[in-house]
Amino acid sequence: MVRFRYGAFAAVALGVGSLGGKCDDLEDEDTSIVPNASGGAGGSGGGGAVECAPAAKCSVFAANASGAECMARRDNTSATKYPGRRQMRSVWNRNTRPLGLATNKLLSATLDAAAELNFGLECNSAANDANGGYILALDWDTTVPETEQVAWVGYTDRVPKGQEQKAADEGLCMAGFKYDATWSAFGIEAAGARPTFPLETWTVKPSKNQRVMQDFTVEEVRTNRPLEEGQGIFYFNPDKNSIHGYTKTSYILVNITDIPEQQLAKTYINVVPIREPELRIVFNDASMNCAGRHRADALLSDEQCRGSAERPGWGCKLEDELSGVKHEGFTGKCEAGTGAAFVSGYFKIADLERTVTILSESLCVTYAGKTIADEKGWGKFCSQSADWGKGTANDPLINGDWCSRENKAKDGVCIPDSWKVETYLVLQAFPIQPAPTLCVPNGQGPL
């Protein structure tokens, strides 16, 4: 569907990524967010109409104001809800490593939908696919002296369909629960029997990151001030409006169903620990309301304003994309398909084997990639391989590309028991219920 907004074409159709507000269909007023020259919502660098520009009410900011470019649902500089806190949530992500995840179209599409909250077609939201079950959140308390400040970083509990506006009003809730890290019922059914594989229980909750006043390297922290589970640190550079963080372990949560029977059976909720994640965020400006933007200018009404791998709906702010700047700590430059936030870390192969995907195979197989798994003869579950744990050339446990003990790429000497992770993100200001408030997903055990 295409309609006119003061003579300008604006598509009111499907898009990619989660946008921040409930939008009313106001046909008689100018509701389009017009791009500005500083990387605004449309991002074309001029004042012309953008055919896929979302409605202005999709953000708490007026058209062309800082914050509108990512459809922020909160003003971090003057919020009355949870004042004095810098709160963000991910609206889009693109995994570039491991290769099996980066190239798996079905899994990528599932994660795209899970990252989205459905605020309606006028906000370029994917109404049929959005499920709000894969959202990273940051809650930084700035009400205390700088040396005492803490930022909580973790994944949120699923937002049921129809409760998106409630989440925008009251805040997303970070998840905290006990997770039995073993084969799910889904995996057992697919495999035909439970394999001999030890049960683990993971304590899934946000990491508590202490602010430090000097930047750091991961090597320095590992050597001189090793972190405990649940702990992290972060450095804020006010000159660059950037954050550099590092955590011992973070737990990625994907929850893709509202159906109680499926939630109770624990077949559609996955948890994967990302070890030693390093987080980089480059905010668009000092307001810290956006890290990146919605690329409405790059979308087409003929394609229903959908983002895609070829035409991403989110990315870096306009100036950075045009100049191709490479931010410190990022592996790629700002261009279509990257973002203004970046996470790198690694997945241990043993951890991946404990999680089964919608593809009825373990993440050990999925993240290695079908070609490698087929060549090695692993089937759908690495631990059912005759080579599992044998130390042979085909042993899935040592066929990664990263060595966890040294936290470095495999070199023929260290043991490659992990897969390297690299993910680009775009963040928008959004209310987060402050810690220690935590929510337990349906069917999971409390902390």
Side-chain angles (χ1 to χ4, degrees):
M1 180 174 68
V2 179
R3 68 176 183 177
F4 291 97
R5 289 180 180 156
Y6 281 78
F9 271 102
V12 199
L14 303 179
V16 164
S18 166
L19 308 178
K22 183 177 181 180
C23 309
D24 298 320
D25 191 8
L26 305 177
E27 297 286 352
D28 297 327
E29 61 177 291
D30 182 9
T31 60
S32 62
I33 294 179
V34 182
N36 60 33
S38 61
S44 68
V50 175
E51 63 181 77
C52 284
K57 288 190 176 181
C58 296
S59 173
V60 298
F61 294 96
N64 285 333
S66 173
E69 69 268 30
C70 70
M71 256 103 15
R73 284 295 301 174
R74 168 186 171 87
D75 185 350
N76 273 327
T77 65
S78 60
T80 56
K81 185 78 170 180
Y82 314 131
R85 307 181 84 93
R86 303 292 183 260
Q87 300 185 327
M88 308 290 290
R89 69 135 180 150
S90 60
V91 295
W92 172 89
N93 65 82
R94 176 182 168 233
N95 299 292
T96 57
R97 293 178 70 176
L99 185 61
L101 174 58
T103 58
N104 191 303
K105 293 183 179 180
L106 177 58
L107 197 55
S108 294
T110 300
L111 295 179
D112 283 344
E116 174 155 15
L117 293 176
N118 179 16
F119 287 106
L121 300 182
E122 286 194 338
C123 297
N124 289 352
S125 288
N128 294 327
D129 300 325
N131 65 52
Y134 177 48
I135 296 174
L136 178 67
L138 177 146
D139 174 32
W140 171 14
D141 182 7
T142 63
T143 63
V144 296
E146 291 182 348
T147 56
E148 300 175 16
Q149 291 177 5
V150 167
W152 297 87
V153 179
Y155 281 78
T156 66
D157 191 14
R158 178 182 170 81
V159 178
K161 289 186 178 181
Q163 296 188 27
E164 294 84 358
Q165 188 58 45
K166 180 180 179 181
D169 294 337
E170 299 180 4
L172 294 167
C173 184
M174 292 195 200
F177 59 100
K178 293 287 188 181
Y179 180 78
D180 289 337
T182 187
W183 291 53
S184 70
F186 194 27
I188 296 167
E189 179 182 353
R194 181 184 294 272
T196 303
F197 198 55
L199 170 69
E200 286 190 2
T201 299
W202 294 334
T203 300
V204 180
K205 63 180 181 180
S207 61
K208 183 179 181 181
N209 301 271
Q210 180 69 47
R211 183 174 179 180
V212 296
M213 306 314 296
Q214 289 185 330
D215 204 358
F216 57 88
T217 66
V218 170
E219 292 75 17
E220 173 206 346
V221 177
R222 288 180 114 235
T223 302
N224 300 326
R225 41 177 169 171
L227 301 172
E228 300 293 332
E229 286 294 321
Q231 293 182 341
I233 60 174
F234 78 100
Y235 169 72
F236 174 65
N237 187 330
D239 297 324
K240 297 182 178 180
N241 297 313
S242 66
I243 282 178
H244 178 204
Y246 170 65
T247 303
K248 178 71 172 180
T249 305
S250 184
Y251 291 89
I252 297 174
L253 170 62
V254 181
N255 187 355
I256 63 173
T257 184
D258 278 332
I259 301 173
E261 293 79 9
Q262 293 177 342
Q263 292 178 330
L264 292 172
K266 305 180 182 180
T267 56
Y268 287 84
I269 181 169
N270 288 156
V271 173
V272 184
I274 177 172
R275 308 292 181 173
E276 301 191 66
E278 192 172 4
L279 173 65
R280 303 273 187 172
I281 302 174
V282 180
F283 296 101
N284 292 6
D285 54 42
S287 72
M288 289 185 274
N289 287 320
C290 294
R293 67 180 178 115
H294 181 49
R295 302 176 73 246
D297 57 302
L299 306 181
L300 302 174
S301 59
D302 289 346
E303 297 177 358
Q304 298 183 303
C305 296
R306 275 189 177 274
S308 64
E310 297 73 24
R311 197 187 300 277
W314 295 86
C316 298
K317 70 177 183 179
L318 178 64
E319 304 96 297
D320 290 349
E321 183 177 325
L322 292 177
S323 65
V325 65
K326 184 177 181 294
H327 295 302
E328 183 178 0
F330 290 48
T331 58
K333 65 181 182 179
C334 275
E335 59 185 354
T338 64
F342 183 70
V343 175
S344 61
Y346 57 87
F347 293 132
K348 286 188 174 181
I349 292 171
D351 291 336
L352 296 177
E353 183 64 5
R354 292 187 170 93
T355 299
V356 180
T357 74
I358 57 172
L359 304 174
S360 300
E361 63 187 22
S362 71
L363 285 181
C364 173
V365 171
T366 303
Y367 286 2
K370 181 173 176 56
T371 299
I372 294 177
D374 286 348
E375 288 177 351
K376 300 288 186 180
W378 295 342
K380 287 183 173 292
F381 304 96
C382 293
S383 58
Q384 292 186 328
S385 165
D387 292 296
W388 177 263
K390 300 293 180 59
T392 62
N394 285 343
D395 184 353
L397 280 172
I398 57 172
N399 264 272
D401 63 1
W402 203 259
C403 303
S404 66
R405 181 175 178 178
E406 296 84 0
N407 191 16
K408 70 175 185 179
K410 71 175 183 179
D411 57 6
V413 178
C414 62
I415 299 174
D417 60 349
S418 303
W419 290 105
K420 181 65 174 177
V421 186
E422 292 182 351
T423 304
Y424 289 94
L425 306 98
V426 172
L427 309 179
Q428 70 174 190
F430 199 95
I432 310 294
Q433 297 180 42
T437 301
L438 296 175
C439 293
V440 180
N442 191 21
Q444 302 301 310
L447 292 175

